[in-house]
Amino acid sequence: MLHEFSINIPYKNVEEVTDLLNAAGIYNLYYESPIEIIKVQNGYGYEEKEDQYIDLKIYASDLEVESLPESYYPLIESTLSISREAIHYKTYDETNWEQTYEFEDIDLGNGWVIQYPNSKEQYEDKHVLKFDPLAAFGTGLHETTQGCLRMILDKDLTGKSVLDLGTGSGMLAIAASLKGADKVVAVDYEDVAREFHHNAELNSLTNDLQVVQADLITGDYQINDHYDFIIINIGANETMSIIEKHDLLKNSNTFFISGLVEWHIDQLIDVFAKGGFAIEEKAQTNEWVSIHFSRA
C-alpha cells in the first residue's frame, strides 16, 4: 500500500520545509511549482509565483515503513509544528498504481502514429513509433517535436549516422533509427539513458545506439565526428551557442533544426546561410518552426 500525506504550504517556504522533512528521514516528496508562462525572445519561458500556496505530498510505502499511517502523523506534526488536521491523507494500491498522465495516440498524418503505453489500438495500415515518456523531457505532444518528427520520418536514413543533440526522452533519435539509421548518438544534459534504451526496446531496435550525458554549451564535451544528419530540437539561442562552441557546421551537411519560434529564426537562418547551407524544407505549426538545412 502506498500512503500519501499532503500539506498546503506557501511556495516560498518549500525549500525550508523539505529540508526539515529530509532531516527527519522523510525523503519521498513531490510538489508542482506554481508558474506563469511568459513570452520571451527564444520562445516561451516561465516565472515562479512565490506568493502562491502549493500541496507538498509525502509518500511512504508499507514495504519501507512500519505501522503506517500512524507512525508518520506524529513525525510530520512535530517536524513541521502543525496539527493533524492540516495533514490530508489517502492511500493507493501499489499493484494498480498507474502514471498520473495518459496520452492519446498521435496520428502524424504521414502514415505514422505515435503510440503510448496505455493505448490498446491496432494500426495495421500505419507505421507505429511506440513511445513511453517516463521521466525525461519530450512527450511528442509539442508542435515543434511533431514538425521535426515528420521531417525525419519522411526521409530514408538507411545506413546513415545521426547525432541528436538535446535528445530528452529520445523520440527523434528513435524515429531516425526506425527509418534505418545505422548509428545514432544521442546527447543530453540530463542522464536519460534509462528512458532512451527503454524506448529503443519498445521499438525492437538493434542498431548502434549510444547515449551521452554532457553539457553541450559550457562543458568539456566536444563533437569531433562527422555525421550524415544532425538533429537539434532545443531553441534558437541554444542552437546557435552549440554551433559556435563546437564549430558544428563542419560536422554534417544536413541538419534538422527545431524548437524555433517564428519571431526568432532570422539570425539562425543567416548563420546557416553563411556556412553554405540552404533551406530544403520549412514546416510551421502555429508559431513553432522546424527547418531542414542542407549543404551541397
Side-chain angles (χ1 to χ4, degrees), residues 30 32 57 59 92 97-103:
Y30 173 80
E32 292 185 357
K57 297 180 180 181
Y59 292 100
Y92 298 94
W97 179 259
E98 296 181 352
Q99 288 179 294
T100 303
Y101 302 103
E102 289 190 353
F103 300 101

Side-chain angles (χ1 to χ4, degrees), residues 79-136:
T79 300
L80 302 181
S81 301
I82 59 176
S83 67
R84 184 166 298 202
E85 288 72 27
I87 305 172
H88 301 279
Y89 170 73
K90 66 171 64 175
T91 61
Y92 298 94
D93 183 351
E94 289 183 283
T95 60
N96 295 322
W97 179 259
E98 296 181 352
Q99 288 179 294
T100 303
Y101 302 103
E102 289 190 353
F103 300 101
E104 293 186 4
D105 294 349
I106 299 173
D107 190 332
L108 294 170
N110 62 349
W112 282 86
V113 173
I114 305 172
Q115 185 173 37
Y116 295 99
N118 55 289
S119 173
K120 306 300 182 185
E121 294 292 330
Q122 299 292 325
Y123 297 102
E124 296 181 359
D125 59 340
K126 295 181 183 294
H127 300 290
V128 175
L129 190 161
K130 296 180 180 180
F131 198 75
D132 186 355
L134 295 177

